[in-house]
Amino acid sequence: MNPMAKCCLLFFLLLAVLLPEARATSCHPDDLLALLDFAGSLNGGGVLLRVTWSGAACCSWEGVGCDAASGRVTALRLPRRGLRGAIPGTSLAGLAQLEELDLSSNNFHNISGLLTVLHGCQNLTTLILTKNFGGEELPGDGIIGGFKSLKVLALGDCALKGRIPEWLSQCKKMEVLDLSRNQFVGTIPSWIGQLHHLCYLDLSNNSLVGEVPKSLTRLKGFATARRPEGMTFTNMPLYVKHNRSTLGRRLNELPNVITGTNNVVRFGRNNVVSGNDNTVIFGDENTVSGNNHAVYGNHNTVSGNNHVVSGSKHVVSGSRHGVTGSSSVVSGFNNGVSGINHVVSGSNNIVSGSSNVVSGMNHIVVGNNKVVSGA
């Protein structure tokens, strides 16, 4: 082999070694500092989190999702991690492109401080804080504003006190609102009927009194469960759902099949759930097994551990995937997938667009109809 050929071979071998590392270390410095600040102030499971969050490649850290094109952190998913303390909202404010935050089933406090900071996250669409805060009062009007992009807000089972605040009326894109199992008092505000994108509203197990507002009962396609229109109630369940089709009405007659431990279907029909600590937030005809999944959508098949799945018709296995969109097949672990019709296997891949086939590890794929493999 001549010297030039040897030189080229050495170059490509070196590139093969360094390129995955270069991809792995791609992390915006502002996001890196924000995440380290967040983890550094936590007790309990925060100790383990600080150990696992090492190095500078924050996009490959457990529970962290990034945008494939910009490398900015868009998702932070840390449910059931045993985290304790006041959520350091100022650190989360450093995640300028944050779209999804799931800190459910931990032991956090200071909801006022967190919401005051997060309302500045203009891209935030999903906020899941279920089972935290231990009886604090939800901040009232004049304290919180913003959240103009918010579509999913889950504050169930927090024992929150006070009244349902009017600042929620600013969330015009809201699709899912779960305020169940708290200690809210007063009446159901009429402005809820002006949230025209609502698919799921759960106000059950509070201390609300009075009548269901006419603005809510007259919304096209909505129906109330367990209570006829206009009936007064005190501390009784109230669910409101959106019947979008004949299929939806038919599914209402089909029960969920739930086995295992600590599995919950918040709203939906014909879901089959087994394993442990799984939650179907909203959706129909999902098949969920394994542990620690959160599912929002329809016709998904989910197995393995620690997935967050939204959209429809996904088949997800392995562990620690974040999947949005529709009709993707995802296996392996730590893959972030958005868009439609992808087939993704391997680990630590970030895929967006449509109809891509990706295998191997540490790939960032943006666009359509690409076939990518290797390490």
Side-chain angles (χ1 to χ4, degrees), residues 160-216:
L160 294 171
K161 300 176 182 178
R163 296 176 178 269
I164 298 175
E166 190 172 355
W167 60 263
L168 287 172
S169 67
Q170 302 174 29
C171 305
K172 299 298 186 182
K173 296 181 180 180
M174 190 78 76
E175 297 177 6
V176 175
L177 179 58
D178 181 5
L179 300 177
S180 62
R181 300 180 302 284
N182 285 295
Q183 300 174 24
F184 291 121
V185 298
T187 59
I188 301 175
S190 60
W191 50 257
I192 289 183
Q194 304 304 314
L195 301 178
H196 298 296
H197 295 285
L198 268 182
C199 296
Y200 171 55
L201 169 66
D202 189 347
L203 303 176
S204 63
N205 296 291
N206 282 284
S207 296
L208 301 168
V209 297
E211 297 185 349
V212 177
K214 291 183 179 179
S215 63
L216 187 57

Side-chain angles (χ1 to χ4, degrees), residues 158-317:
C158 292
L160 294 171
K161 300 176 182 178
R163 296 176 178 269
I164 298 175
E166 190 172 355
W167 60 263
L168 287 172
S169 67
Q170 302 174 29
C171 305
K172 299 298 186 182
K173 296 181 180 180
M174 190 78 76
E175 297 177 6
V176 175
L177 179 58
D178 181 5
L179 300 177
S180 62
R181 300 180 302 284
N182 285 295
Q183 300 174 24
F184 291 121
V185 298
T187 59
I188 301 175
S190 60
W191 50 257
I192 289 183
Q194 304 304 314
L195 301 178
H196 298 296
H197 295 285
L198 268 182
C199 296
Y200 171 55
L201 169 66
D202 189 347
L203 303 176
S204 63
N205 296 291
N206 282 284
S207 296
L208 301 168
V209 297
E211 297 185 349
V212 177
K214 291 183 179 179
S215 63
L216 187 57
T217 60
R218 286 191 292 206
L219 276 176
K220 183 179 180 180
F222 273 79
T224 56
R226 302 192 182 189
R227 175 182 295 105
E229 180 178 343
M231 179 178 177
T232 60
F233 60 96
T234 302
N235 200 25
M236 292 176 62
L238 172 64
Y239 301 85
V240 181
K241 59 184 177 57
H242 190 260
N243 287 326
R244 287 172 287 188
S245 64
T246 303
L247 173 62
R249 287 191 291 273
R250 179 178 63 81
L251 289 172
N252 289 337
E253 302 171 358
L254 299 175
N256 297 300
V257 178
I258 302 175
T259 59
T261 304
N262 201 29
N263 295 307
V264 177
V265 176
R266 293 287 179 80
F267 178 77
R269 295 293 184 270
N270 205 27
N271 297 290
V272 179
V273 184
S274 61
N276 304 293
D277 300 305
N278 300 301
T279 301
V280 176
I281 299 172
F282 169 83
D284 302 314
E285 297 194 320
N286 296 294
T287 301
V288 181
S289 61
N291 306 297
N292 298 316
H293 305 306
V295 180
Y296 168 45
N298 305 306
H299 309 286
N300 297 296
T301 301
V302 182
S303 61
N305 304 288
N306 299 307
H307 304 308
V308 177
V309 179
S310 64
S312 61
K313 298 181 180 178
H314 299 299
V315 178
V316 182
S317 61

Side-chain angles (χ1 to χ4, degrees), residues 44-95:
V47 176
L48 179 60
L49 190 65
R50 288 190 288 274
V51 172
T52 58
W53 280 9
S54 62
C58 70
C59 290
S60 65
W61 290 352
E62 181 179 0
V64 177
C66 293
D67 176 73
S70 68
R72 296 302 302 260
V73 172
T74 58
L76 184 59
R77 310 179 185 101
L78 296 171
R80 296 175 290 272
R81 294 302 198 280
L83 306 175
R84 296 203 312 267
I87 300 178
T90 52
S91 63
L92 295 177
L95 302 175

